[in-house]
Amino acid sequence: MFRRKRPAALAAAFAMTAAALGALTAPGATAVTPPVAMTADDLPTWQTNGVVWTLAESGGTVFAGGTFSAVRPPGSPAGSNEQKALNFVALDAATGEPTGCKLDFTIGSGTATVRALAVSPDGATLYAGGDFAAVNGVSRSRVAAIDIASCSVKTGFNAGSVSARVHGLSVASGRLYLAGDFNTVAGQTRNKFAALDASTGALQSWRANAGTDRAGRAIEETPDGQHVVLGGDFSVLNGGAAQSLAVVRADTGATVKAYKPVDNNQNRPGEMRRTSTVKDLHVDSTGIYTGNEGTGGGVFDGRLAMNLGDFSERWRDTCLGATQAVIAYKEVLYSSSHAHNCASEGQFSELNERQHLLGESINTDRPLLSWFPDTDDGPSGTEQIGPRAMAVSSKGGKDYMWVGGEFTRIASNGNKLQQGLVRFANTPDTRAPVAGPDSVTATNVSGGVQLKWRAGWDRDDSKLTYTIYRNGTALADKPTLESKFWDAARPQGSYTDAGAKPGTTYTYQIAASDPAGNSAKSDPVTVTTPGTPTETTVERTASADAYVNGSATGDNYGTHQQLFVRGSAPYLSYLRFALPDAPSGMVLKDAKLTVRTTSDSTAGSPDDISVVPVSGSWTEAAVTYANRPGLGSGTLGTLSGATGLNTDYSADLSTAALSGGLGGDYDLALTSAGSDALRVWARETSNDPKLTLTFGKP
């Protein structure tokens, strides 16, 4: 599996006080926790009806090869809305949709398959390898060259007969390198590895013979053009012992370094267990990286990094669960595997299910970084490995990580149907943490109210910021905690609210937020402080709400889960709250309206939203734009800067205006003079609008 080369550019519980902790990046940032640079948010991508074995890219187009016969839109179940695609599809990196390039890879008998794709350094030529006899009807034996601009077979390139399947390709220095099951190319002996003239396909004198009984899986030239790295399940190379991984000269194929085969695997540098196979290679200016698969006890299933120059081993990750693909992007090595046990790395022990996508630093194998999108294994009838190929492509100012394989669902997104292909972007990060803080307790202690909670976790952020809300108001101190999905007893946070007043009932909630401001809230907990009360806070959720639409004047939206506000092509939203009477001897001191933006990609708005009184009557079940109630004079408050997704925003309201409505229903409306719509959750959801009223001594 080949990608165009890109330059490099635990669970122990603990308590923390706010004084010892600092805040993370302010909401609005789009980064995930460094050094991870790809989000874990899967994007809509066309699907295949079979296995994707290989990916490559050129100029914002991603090429996928495999064993499939059709593609279909995202969300379509198998067998529906399909378009013919015989073992190949070209897709727009930014939209995930097929381009106009159509290539059919066929064979006279048996099943055709594309197992390797590589793009020339100038981005003009796509090379394909696998098991096929023709491309768009043009006879080609297991390797072909495609002109990318015209999407046509290059008739001047013909390698002749390749005796068996091609698994890996790499093109550099005017040569096309092949790795596979073959023993002859163009009628001459070439055991598992060969080199062709990249322009004509003529066989080169370069030889790196690996014996006749195993396979070459991957091949890459080093950036200086002096050496070629070989990967596979071979045990012999150029007549000498060599297990699965070797470096040879680029001019002759002579062995420079070979990993020693061993039976008792101690994972020592320079040694490889005889049952271990290199399934993929990534080589760039930062080093050489391998993805390995093993069988039997004591296998090496993980990844290793080698230095350029002396080809010494930098690190070796011994997680269990065969690795099928690796790619380095911005100081992180991303991998596709079916990892199920990384206890040897000090990470997760045996899982009940597999984690198919991982990230780790190119400089060290520990710890695993927080990049945990996930797929399923794939359908019965396949090896049920999951992902098998990776590529990074850039378009429109964004980078996209593409993943191909035999999976059929995205486990990290509610087991959403998605077969063969999925992609992720480097920005923005739009999803809330998978788990918010839980097991929250609030206890009266000397000095205030002590809150404790169990940390949440996120798929692309190991470090989350915790905002404590007292009666709906965020406190200034924001502790941070670090946790990952396998932390069964996730770290415990602790915060003491020294500002709590005596004899007062408080409701606390804690929100875990990632650096982009996406957050997940805990359930509320309530505590009453000892002593004589000086103030009390009451929270009311909306008893009715609805929006009206100026483009559909007769329609009622009282049961919708979202409320809309916009000035142009107007939307207005109405809310009703049942206000309590003021406690004896107290007056209204503070009033705050809180709404939460939805998770829709356009939910946020930079426009100011006015909160105004309602002068007319309305009901949730009957209000429309045509019969909407009138609005009172003046403004109760303003909601500003509500640009984040799935995030709470509050507006301070006029206590003088609300004081006159205490003890009865109070109606208010959300309006805007702007053109950017705001979408917030309605009372039909668990994030319903709420009014927080604080009463105190006059």
Side-chain angles (χ1 to χ4, degrees):
M1 285 160 274
F2 178 84
R3 293 81 32 195
R4 288 183 67 193
K5 297 174 185 174
R6 301 180 59 84
L10 199 155
F14 59 92
M16 293 185 174
T17 63
L21 294 161
L24 291 182
T25 306
T30 56
V32 293
T33 300
V36 171
M38 281 289 172
T39 75
D41 303 346
D42 57 284
L43 300 174
T45 308
W46 274 59
Q47 310 170 72
T48 63
N49 67 345
V51 180
V52 172
W53 293 98
T54 180
L55 294 167
E57 74 87 35
S58 178
T61 298
V62 173
F63 307 104
T67 312
F68 52 86
S69 60
V71 293
R72 63 185 186 276
S76 292
S80 64
N81 302 313
E82 290 187 338
Q83 297 180 11
K84 176 185 173 184
L86 292 183
N87 307 305
F88 174 88
V89 62
L91 305 110
D92 185 290
T95 66
E97 300 174 355
T99 70
C101 179
K102 311 290 184 183
L103 297 172
D104 294 346
F105 287 79
T106 57
I107 198 167
S109 61
T111 301
T113 183
V114 176
R115 293 298 182 101
L117 293 170
V119 173
S120 59
D122 63 3
T125 303
L126 173 69
Y127 297 91
D131 255 341
F132 53 84
V135 184
N136 282 3
V138 179
S139 177
R140 287 295 182 269
S141 172
R142 298 189 171 95
V143 62
I146 309 298
D147 178 71
I148 292 176
S150 63
C151 188
S152 61
V153 178
K154 283 194 166 186
T155 56
F157 177 97
N158 192 339
S161 176
V162 179
S163 64
R165 177 178 293 169
V166 173
H167 287 289
L169 293 173
S170 176
V171 56
S173 305
R175 284 180 174 153
L176 176 67
Y177 295 99
L178 282 61
D181 298 324
F182 53 83
N183 289 316
T184 64
V185 176
Q188 298 188 41
T189 299
R190 293 293 188 274
N191 294 324
K192 316 311 178 189
F193 299 101
L196 310 176
D197 183 288
S199 297
T200 66
L203 183 65
Q204 302 292 283
S205 61
W206 182 90
R207 292 171 181 264
N209 285 322
T212 60
D213 60 336
R214 299 293 183 90
R217 299 285 181 179
I219 188 166
E220 293 279 352
E221 188 176 274
T222 57
D224 62 6
Q226 300 300 303
H227 299 91
V228 178
V229 187
L230 311 178
D233 59 358
F234 52 86
S235 57
V236 174
L237 182 68
N238 293 330
Q243 185 59 49
S244 305
L245 179 60
V247 180
V248 300
R249 290 179 53 159
D251 54 352
T252 65
T255 303
V256 174
K257 178 184 177 68
Y259 267 62
K260 176 184 176 182
V262 294
D263 294 310
N264 184 17
N265 186 24
Q266 301 298 320
N267 286 311
R268 289 187 289 259
E271 294 183 351
M272 193 77 69
R273 188 176 171 90
R274 293 182 189 275
T275 55
S276 183
T277 299
V278 172
K279 298 298 292 287
D280 192 28
L281 291 169
H282 178 87
V283 180
D284 64 15
S285 61
T286 69
I288 299 165
Y289 307 94
T290 77
N292 288 67
E293 177 181 85
T295 57
V299 302
F300 174 47
D301 264 351
R303 298 150 290 281
L304 66 79
M306 296 169 62
N307 297 310
L308 296 170
D310 63 359
F311 305 113
S312 59
E313 189 171 310
R314 185 186 310 162
W315 54 258
R316 186 184 296 217
D317 175 338
T318 56
C319 287
L320 298 178
T323 304
Q324 304 297 315
V326 289
I327 187 168
Y329 170 75
K330 291 189 175 179
E331 304 298 314
V332 174
L333 183 69
Y334 296 87
S335 59
S336 294
S337 70
H338 59 268
H340 57 88
N341 190 327
C342 288
S344 63
E345 292 288 302
Q347 310 295 288
F348 54 83
S349 55
E350 188 66 36
L351 299 175
N352 294 325
E353 53 192 26
R354 297 163 170 177
Q355 172 62 43
H356 294 90
L357 296 166
L358 297 173
E360 56 208 316
S361 169
I362 61 172
N363 300 309
T364 178
D365 54 320
R366 303 184 189 191
L368 291 173
L369 303 174
S370 279
W371 190 69
F372 301 117
D374 198 15
T375 70
D376 68 353
D377 291 335
S380 59
T382 68
E383 289 185 67
Q384 295 189 304
I385 293 287
R388 288 185 172 274
M390 307 180 84
V392 173
S393 185
S394 302
K395 189 171 185 180
K398 284 188 181 182
D399 296 339
Y400 297 89
M401 174 76 74
W402 282 71
V403 178
E406 55 200 332
F407 51 84
T408 59
R409 294 178 181 271
I410 306 302
S412 55
N413 191 9
N415 272 331
K416 180 181 71 176
L417 288 172
Q418 182 67 33
Q419 186 172 5
L421 288 166
V422 66
R423 65 198 172 98
F424 310 90
N426 64 327
T427 187
D429 179 12
T430 62
R431 291 186 187 164
V434 176
D438 59 20
S439 303
V440 181
T441 62
T443 307
N444 288 306
V445 297
S446 176
V449 176
Q450 185 181 60
L451 298 166
K452 291 186 177 181
W453 66 91
R454 188 173 70 151
W457 70 275
D458 193 30
R459 294 191 184 277
D460 46 26
D461 295 288
S462 60
K463 185 179 289 186
L464 298 176
T465 299
Y466 292 84
T467 302
I468 292 88
Y469 289 87
R470 180 215 293 149
N471 293 337
T473 299
L475 303 183
D477 295 318
K478 297 185 178 182
T480 61
L481 292 172
E482 189 158 358
S483 60
K484 294 173 182 173
F485 75 87
W486 62 83
D487 294 342
R490 295 194 295 274
Q492 184 184 71
S494 178
Y495 175 84
T496 298
D497 178 12
K501 297 182 178 181
T504 304
T505 299
Y506 292 108
T507 298
Y508 292 94
Q509 275 187 292
I510 302 172
S513 301
D514 63 20
N518 306 302
S519 63
K521 265 191 175 180
S522 71
D523 291 332
V525 294
T526 300
V527 64
T528 300
T529 58
T532 302
T534 59
E535 70 174 31
T536 187
T537 298
V538 178
E539 187 174 280
R540 289 286 188 265
T541 56
S543 58
D545 62 16
Y547 74 89
V548 297
N549 181 358
S551 298
T553 58
D555 291 349
N556 171 259
Y557 301 94
T559 60
H560 278 222
Q561 292 190 334
Q562 298 187 42
L563 300 175
F564 290 73
V565 187
R566 187 172 65 192
S568 60
Y571 290 101
L572 292 80
S573 289
Y574 295 91
L575 302 97
R576 175 172 296 142
F577 294 92
L579 302 187
D581 289 314
S584 177
M586 293 186 180
V587 297
L588 184 63
K589 305 288 285 187
D590 185 76
K592 189 184 305 292
L593 173 69
T594 301
V595 293
R596 173 170 282 206
T597 54
T598 72
S599 54
D600 187 285
S601 62
T602 59
S605 173
D607 295 338
D608 285 346
I609 307 299
S610 297
V611 185
V612 298
V614 175
S615 59
S617 62
W618 62 282
T619 64
E620 185 179 74
V623 65
T624 66
Y625 190 85
N627 68 17
R628 69 191 186 280
L631 303 179
S633 60
T635 299
L636 298 173
T638 303
L639 189 73
S640 299
T643 56
L645 306 181
N646 224 17
T647 302
D648 286 334
Y649 291 95
S650 297
D652 291 321
L653 303 185
S654 167
T655 55
L658 267 66
S659 292
L662 293 176
D665 286 339
Y666 196 93
D667 295 346
L668 53 83
L670 303 180
T671 68
S672 172
S675 59
D676 192 342
L678 176 73
R679 296 165 171 81
V680 299
W681 294 116
R683 76 185 189 99
E684 283 76 12
T685 72
S686 60
N687 296 306
D688 45 345
K690 60 179 177 289
L691 197 62
T692 304
L693 306 175
T694 301
F695 297 91
K697 298 295 183 182

